[in-house]
Amino acid sequence: MAEDLKIAKGTKAAIYQSLIPQIKALLDGEPDLIANLANVAAALKEQFGWLWVGFYLVKQDELVLGPFQGPVACTRIKKGRGVCGAAWQNAATLIVPDVEKFPGHIACSSLSRSEIVVPLIKNNEVFGVLDVDSELLDQFDETDKKYLEEIVKPLSPPAGGELS
Ligand code: SME
């Protein structure tokens, strides 16, 4: 059983440096993807208090809503659509400082103002994305990109491919 999360204060980098070993400890030895996604979403939400933190998983040819923390959200996103679908298509992290200026942004919550989406990649294939939304403009930068990419790196799809 995990202990309570230790909430850090300080610079963004210092906060991530405190959080990452705790997330690694939560994931250590647990092969179940959904359990791990649920704990990563909860840990990020608890530490940063962002509006929405969650995952979409590639199933057939769509992203389907997975474990998340925050308001209810759209369940399916097609490849190339919205910020999530674009990050999937490009297999690259996307930082959106102002969602109203991103062509095709999908507004799951009218409160969201800025967003970062980080693809989950295994064997050169995107199997999902981490999506984080903030109610404030311009909340995500290269520091978030670097550490969120590190956080999702240990996540793997199920060996048997039962995602789809
Ligand atoms: N805004 C996202 C959709 C997902 S919600 O923000 C949770 C997008 O444009 O892909």
Side-chain angles (χ1 to χ4, degrees):
M1 176 62 201
E3 293 174 18
D4 288 347
L5 200 69
K6 288 183 183 64
I7 300 301
K9 291 192 176 132
T11 64
K12 199 188 262 187
I15 291 173
Y16 276 113
Q17 283 158 20
S18 153
L19 184 62
I20 284 175
Q22 299 185 73
I23 289 182
K24 286 194 173 144
L26 280 169
L27 303 185
D28 191 38
E30 175 51 69
D32 190 277
L33 176 66
I34 299 301
N36 288 334
L37 299 182
N39 259 341
V40 172
L44 288 170
K45 174 80 173 163
E46 193 178 343
Q47 171 66 67
F48 289 102
W50 289 315
L51 173 68
W52 198 92
V53 182
F55 293 92
Y56 283 88
L57 295 170
V58 175
K59 296 188 181 183
Q60 277 92 42
D61 215 23
E62 283 182 318
L63 287 170
V64 181
L65 184 63
F68 71 96
Q69 298 264 324
V72 293
C74 344
T75 50
R76 287 173 188 269
I77 298 173
K78 293 203 186 304
K79 200 172 202 171
R81 302 294 293 273
V83 188
C84 291
W88 174 20
Q89 190 163 48
N90 302 334
T93 296
L94 272 178
I95 296 171
V96 180
D98 180 348
V99 296
E100 285 178 15
K101 295 193 176 135
F102 186 92
H105 168 258
I106 301 164
C108 287
S109 165
S110 59
L111 293 175
S112 172
R113 307 293 301 281
S114 60
E115 182 164 2
I116 183 169
V117 179
V118 180
L120 312 182
I121 301 175
K122 212 65 187 190
N123 301 326
N124 290 322
E125 227 175 284
V126 177
F127 66 95
V129 298
L130 165 65
D131 180 17
V132 182
D133 287 79
S134 169
E135 303 106 307
L136 303 173
L137 283 172
D138 202 11
Q139 285 303 290
F140 305 105
D141 56 23
E142 291 298 315
T143 303
D144 298 286
K145 174 179 186 294
K146 172 182 164 182
Y147 289 111
L148 292 174
E149 286 177 355
E150 186 178 338
I151 286 170
V152 302
K153 204 170 278 171
L155 299 167
S156 298
E162 60 269 40
L163 260 186
S164 48

